[in-house]
C-alpha cells in the first residue's frame, strides 16, 4: 500500500491551525483534483476528485470517515472507494515546531530509480496543478509560536489492475500531500498577514 508523509512549518500555534482545519469546508477545495464534497454527518462525507495517475484520468468518489477527531492536534480518517476499488486513509497532525525532520545516516534513502520516478511525477504534477505557491520557511524566519503540520496519506488500489495502479499511485501521492499541506499553510499565513 503506497503511503507518504509530508511535514511543513507554519508560523502560528497549533490551535490556530486547528480552528481552520476542524471545518473541512475551509480546506476541501485545496485537495488535488477536487470537484466537490458532501457532508453526511460529523464523521462522514463523500469526496469527488478527478484523479490523474500517469495516463489514467478518472472521477473518483470516496467515502471519508473520521476515525479520530482530537483537537487541537490530530485528525485521522479512512477512505473507501465508492466507484473504484480503492481504500486508504491518513492523518493530519498539528503540533509545536520541534525542528527539521531527521535525515541523517539512519534515514533510508530511496534508490536512484525511485528518486528519478518521483522527480518525473513531481514535475508533471506541478505542470498540471501548478506549484504550491509556498516554499518551506528558512530557519531564520521560524517564530517561537511556530507549528509543524504533517499530512500522511495512504491509498491501495484493488482488483486485477491494483498492482499496476499502486505502482503509479505511489509516486503521485507525495506531490498531492505536499500540495494540500502547503496550500493550508499558505492560506493561514496569508490570512495572518492580512489581519
Amino acid at each position: 500500500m503506497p503511503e507518504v508523509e509530508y511535514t511543513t512549518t507554519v508560523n502560528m500555534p497549533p490551535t490556530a491551525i486547528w480552528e481552520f482545519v476542524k471545518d473541512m469546508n475551509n480546506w476541501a477545495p485545496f485537495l488535488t483534483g477536487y470537484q466537490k464534497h458532501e457532508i453526511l454527518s460529523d464523521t462522514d462525507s463523500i469526496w469527488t476528485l478527478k484523479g490523474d495517475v500517469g495516463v489514467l484520468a478518472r472521477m473518483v468518489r470516496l467515502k471519508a470517515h473520521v476515525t479520530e477527531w482530537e483537537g487541537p492536534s490530530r485528525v485521522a480518517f479512512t477512505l473507501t472507494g465508492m466507484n473504484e476499488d480503492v481504500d486508504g486513509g491518513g492523518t493530519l497532525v498539528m503540533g509545536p515546531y520541534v525542528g527539521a525532520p531527521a535525515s541523517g545516516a539512519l534515514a533510508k534513502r530511496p534508490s536512484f530509480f525511485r528518486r528519478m520516478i518521483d522527480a518525473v511525477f513531481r514535475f508533471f504534477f506541478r505542470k498540471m496543478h501548478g506549484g504550491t505557491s509556498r516554499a518551506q520557511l528558512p530557519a531564520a524566519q521560524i517564530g517561537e509560536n511556530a507549528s509543524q503540520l504533517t499530512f500522511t496519506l495512504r491509498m491501495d488500489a484493488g482488483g486485477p489492475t491494483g498492482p499496476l495502479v499502486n505502482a503509479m499511485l505511489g509516486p503521485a501521492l507525495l506531490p498531492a500531500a505536499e500540495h494540500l499541506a502547503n496550500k493550508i499553510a499558505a492560506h493561514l499565513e496569508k490570512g495572518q498577514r492580512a489581519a
Side-chain angles (χ1 to χ4, degrees), residues 13-32:
T15 53
I17 300 170
W18 174 255
E19 285 303 313
F20 181 78
V21 169
K22 72 180 181 181
D23 182 356
M24 73 177 65
N25 294 309
N26 290 334
W27 53 268
F30 298 158
L31 288 165
T32 302

Side-chain angles (χ1 to χ4, degrees), residues 5 8-9 21 31-32 40-41 57 64 72 80 93 99 110 136 159 171 179 183:
E5 181 177 286
T8 192
T9 304
V21 169
L31 288 165
T32 302
L40 304 175
S41 70
T80 305
V93 178
Q136 286 284 9
H179 187 254
K183 283 283 209 174

Side-chain angles (χ1 to χ4, degrees), residues 42 47 92 124 168 185:
D42 289 344
W47 299 78
L92 195 57
F124 284 111
M168 292 188 294

Side-chain angles (χ1 to χ4, degrees), residues 129-144:
H129 302 285
T132 58
S133 71
R134 181 182 187 273
Q136 286 284 9
L137 292 174
Q141 292 181 7
I142 297 174
E144 62 184 55

Side-chain angles (χ1 to χ4, degrees), residues 5-9 96-105 107 136-137 142 147-150:
E5 181 177 286
Y6 178 75
T7 300
T8 192
T9 304
Y97 177 75
V98 293
S103 61
Q136 286 284 9
L137 292 174
I142 297 174
S147 303
Q148 287 183 304
L149 175 62
T150 301

